Amino acid sequence: MSLSYSAISTFQACPERYRLAYIERLEKVDAGQEEIPARWGQAVHAGLASLYKGEGLEKAQDVFRQGFPENVSQEETVRTVMNGIELLKLYALRYGEDSGWKVLEVEVKERFELNGVEFTVQLDLVAESLQGAGIFLWDHKTTQKPFSPTYWSKYEMDEQVSAYSYWVKRKYGDCGGALINGIQVGFRKRMYKGEPPGFYAKFERQVLYRSSQQLSQWSGNVSVWAGKIEQARQTGIYWLVPGSLCSYCSFRELCLSCDDQQVD
């Protein structure tokens, strides 16, 4: 069986969504309003990858344009082409070349065997601290939510951080931690506390650490969920879990339909 953090988290949230995405392999043909944040974020990630490959700001901005070539909605004020280009410029001004780090890998996608499961990881960046703190995984996070203790606390027990930390420790022999590279974006309609109106970006980073005990626990959890997923595959039983997150699901229309008739 081949699994990833995304596959397991999808099954945990809604087995029916897992079936549609990973068994039926369905994809939405036309991107709607709800897909804009994901597409824009992916284009920003691609631009950041270009920066950390040493390709320069102009190339990074071109890479962003390729991933997000035109505005999807005239009503969108934050996630636009020009704002993405501006964001990469502001990021480069804020962090420069991140001279305290030696980039080891960019846009990593690798598979490894874990308790009989072929597990896939996708990391934004792996870098070594030049201050001797070790090798860190980096995870870029774009958000409109303000940085606060509540925002950062959700990563403290995040299994994606555990999965990536496990892989880094397995490959490099040690993992100094996970650097969550926070990128907050927003739009002000008017001046606020001396800040001008229009698009803005704020940057903040937090480092998280996973102990050997936590990584061992995560490894065991993967085996448990792999068993549950295999059972669902064998029986063909995938149950629907309705909730507030359904509003953001690409398969929402399918769950609302019945005999090809759209239900209001």
Side-chain angles (χ1 to χ4, degrees):
M1 178 187 294
S2 179
L3 288 176
S4 65
Y5 161 77
S6 296
I8 292 177
S9 63
T10 299
F11 187 88
Q12 290 171 332
C14 180
E16 174 63 6
R17 181 180 179 185
Y18 171 89
R19 181 186 73 83
L20 294 171
Y22 292 94
I23 304 300
E24 302 297 335
R25 298 187 181 278
L26 299 182
E27 294 182 1
K28 198 165 186 177
V29 176
D30 297 320
Q33 188 74 16
E34 67 274 13
E35 274 81 40
I36 295 177
R39 288 179 54 197
W40 194 83
Q42 290 165 3
V44 170
H45 275 60
L48 291 172
S50 178
L51 280 177
Y52 283 103
K53 289 176 184 177
E55 296 175 343
L57 178 59
E58 289 188 9
K59 174 63 176 178
Q61 292 172 326
D62 287 340
V63 169
F64 170 83
R65 288 191 192 94
Q66 293 171 16
F68 200 85
E70 60 183 14
N71 295 330
V72 179
S73 171
Q74 294 183 349
E75 298 177 356
E76 176 65 47
T77 58
V78 176
R79 296 176 174 90
T80 67
V81 176
M82 293 307 299
N83 289 348
I85 294 170
E86 177 68 10
L87 172 62
L88 290 170
K89 184 182 77 172
L90 294 174
Y91 184 92
L93 288 172
R94 173 66 177 81
Y95 291 117
E97 298 181 355
D98 266 316
S99 57
W101 297 90
K102 177 185 177 182
V103 176
L104 302 178
E105 299 185 67
V106 180
E107 290 192 309
V108 180
K109 183 174 183 180
E110 287 198 16
R111 296 179 179 180
F112 65 96
E113 192 276 333
L114 177 63
N115 303 332
V117 176
E118 186 181 65
F119 200 87
T120 302
V121 293
Q122 289 184 268
L123 290 79
D124 293 323
L125 186 71
V126 179
E128 181 179 5
S129 166
L130 297 181
Q131 283 73 45
I135 296 174
F136 289 71
L137 68 94
W138 288 38
D139 197 5
H140 308 314
K141 297 294 186 183
T142 56
T143 180
Q144 283 191 263
K145 296 179 180 179
F147 297 131
S148 66
T150 300
Y151 174 82
W152 293 112
S153 66
K154 66 182 181 180
Y155 297 111
E156 292 175 357
M157 298 297 292
D158 185 74
E159 290 195 349
Q160 185 179 46
V161 172
S162 299
Y164 294 173
S165 298
Y166 186 98
W167 177 83
V168 170
K169 187 171 184 178
R170 180 187 178 110
K171 180 170 183 177
Y172 292 96
D174 190 25
C175 179
L179 188 151
I180 308 301
N181 191 25
I183 302 172
Q184 181 200 347
V185 294
F187 184 88
R188 301 187 190 92
K189 293 183 178 180
R190 59 186 65 86
M191 182 175 289
Y192 179 73
K193 293 185 176 180
E195 298 290 336
F199 173 79
Y200 67 88
K202 297 181 179 180
F203 308 102
E204 189 172 317
R205 292 172 172 176
Q206 293 282 342
V207 174
L208 304 174
Y209 178 74
R210 292 291 187 266
S211 67
S212 296
Q213 182 179 359
Q214 288 174 313
L215 294 181
S216 178
Q217 183 180 40
W218 170 81
S219 174
N221 288 342
V222 170
S223 297
V224 171
W225 284 105
K228 292 179 182 293
I229 292 173
E230 180 61 26
Q231 182 179 18
R233 288 183 172 183
Q234 293 295 329
T235 62
I237 299 175
Y238 298 87
W239 57 99
L240 181 67
V241 182
S244 59
L245 294 179
C246 293
S247 300
Y248 305 97
C249 181
S250 298
F251 306 117
R252 181 173 181 271
E253 289 84 354
L254 288 177
C255 293
L256 290 174
S257 66
C258 180
D259 295 329
D260 293 330
Q261 298 297 315
Q262 186 69 34
V263 178
D264 295 330

